[in-house]
Amino acid sequence: MKIATYNVNGVNGRLPVLIKWLNEAQPDVVCLQELKAPQEKFPLSAIEDAGYKAIWHGQKSWNGVAILSRGDQPEEVRRALPGDPEDVHSRYLEAEINGITIGCLYLPNGNPAPGPKFDYKLGWFDRLITHGKQLLKAGKPTILTGDYNVMPTEQDVYKPERWLDDALFRPEVRSAFKKLIDQGWTDAIRKLYPDETIYTFWDYFRNAYGRNAGLRIDHFLLSPDIDRRLKAAGVDKHVRGWEKTSDHAPVWIELKEK
DNA sequence: ATGTCAGGCCTCGCCTGA
């Protein structure tokens, strides 16, 4: 079973790239972030034509998350992170597919930091930590994946010294990520490639992709029983080199059958 | 400070978020 996450940065603007990649990569399940489309503008028929069933939570202009499945229809569990009824951003969608709970998340960017956006990011992260604990306690096979907007360590950023004050790398955010991991989640990419430089995002500016000036901010967190099934993981880096592409590349894992 | 995108409204050019 192959599961992927991809911050598409506009699902309609990115549709040809998304469909081309789906056909090439053939993932069974896909979590998408940054749809940048209202609920009614989600390109369902194109995605169905590519062979996928989908649930999504759109929003005008910003945010937006979706879960695609080649087999069973994703069975929606929730479409918001618990803990703040005032939070209207569409940044979290959770579904069950094939007995696996899949949380698709788009953690706030948080820049500029400090400031209200950074406070929102930390608050959102706190709610994710609380929910993560509940998920592990529930004891089902679970995957929390998406755009975390955090480089967990210096290994995950091309020039760490330049990012120290950035909302994606500040100590508060790295420590929040560590707090989540320490509950018992496995960072799939880092487990399989402990020493390699692996990026999932390259800025549109300054020829970042050409210079491989990247960041690792899209992550797969696995509960212990999913961790035991982990067979392979990777980044489809070449997709970042396509025309009219997202600033993120798709990230994927492969699981052994039970 | 710069740079490049996407989406949307202030709507064919500028703003914001990233």
Side-chain angles (χ1 to χ4, degrees):
Chain A
M1 187 179 188
K2 184 176 183 182
I3 303 164
T5 184
Y6 188 16
N7 179 323
V8 287
N9 189 6
V11 71
N12 287 303
R14 213 64 67 205
L15 197 54
V17 165
L18 174 62
I19 299 297
K20 181 179 170 186
W21 169 72
L22 287 174
N23 287 331
E24 175 189 286
Q26 295 283 313
D28 298 292
V29 174
V30 184
C31 293
L32 299 177
Q33 302 86 33
E34 276 207 86
L35 302 180
K36 290 187 172 179
Q39 189 69 10
E40 67 277 12
K41 293 273 178 64
F42 183 79
L44 181 62
S45 53
I47 281 167
E48 283 178 339
D49 289 348
Y52 290 86
K53 301 182 174 74
I55 58 171
W56 67 97
H57 187 196
Q59 185 175 338
K60 192 159 90 174
S61 307
W62 318 119
N63 311 319
V65 282
I67 300 177
L68 280 45
S69 168
R70 269 209 295 186
D72 300 338
Q73 170 76 27
E75 195 180 313
E76 185 169 321
V77 180
R78 60 175 74 246
R79 57 175 48 214
L81 204 52
D84 184 2
E86 309 278 296
D87 181 9
V88 294
H89 291 204
S90 52
R91 294 181 175 275
Y92 188 80
L93 189 57
E94 189 178 300
E96 280 195 26
I97 302 172
N98 251 349
I100 301 176
T101 301
I102 299 190
C104 171
L105 65 101
Y106 175 43
L107 209 132
N109 176 296
N111 276 306
K117 291 187 176 177
F118 190 60
D119 294 341
Y120 174 63
K121 177 177 198 167
L122 294 179
W124 207 95
F125 223 142
D126 271 343
R127 287 160 58 205
L128 181 63
I129 288 165
T130 302
H131 188 54
K133 195 165 190 176
Q134 287 301 311
L135 287 169
L136 288 180
K137 195 176 160 193
K140 294 181 181 173
T142 303
I143 297 170
L144 277 179
T145 188
D147 179 0
Y148 281 74
N149 268 315
V150 50
M151 296 83 90
T153 73
E154 297 196 345
Q155 195 183 356
D156 302 308
V157 49
Y158 68 101
K159 274 209 191 323
E161 66 278 10
R162 286 199 194 167
W163 288 81
L164 291 171
D165 292 328
D166 192 278
L168 278 66
F169 198 54
R170 286 176 68 105
E172 304 94 311
V173 178
R174 277 186 274 167
S175 104
F177 187 83
K178 184 174 186 305
K179 194 171 170 187
L180 181 61
I181 289 283
D182 286 349
Q183 293 175 340
W185 300 94
T186 298
D187 176 343
I189 290 275
R190 211 27 104 204
K191 182 191 179 186
L192 294 186
Y193 299 99
D195 301 318
E196 290 195 32
T197 296
I198 295 178
Y199 300 138
T200 67
F201 167 95
W202 296 261
D203 216 305
Y204 287 123
F205 304 162
R206 298 172 292 251
N207 187 34
Y209 182 65
R211 297 184 296 121
N212 197 29
L215 311 172
R216 191 174 74 96
I217 55 176
D218 302 270
H219 306 298
F220 267 97
L221 268 53
L222 315 181
S223 70
D225 30 12
I226 295 289
D227 175 37
R228 280 190 288 275
R229 291 170 58 185
L230 181 63
K231 191 163 67 173
V235 179
D236 286 340
K237 183 179 175 183
H238 65 287
V239 175
R240 179 62 181 79
W242 290 354
E243 289 294 309
K244 301 287 286 177
T245 199
S246 169
D247 40 6
H248 295 249
V251 185
W252 53 267
I253 60 168
E254 268 186 41
L255 303 179
K256 289 178 260 204
E257 296 311 313
K258 279 176 251 185

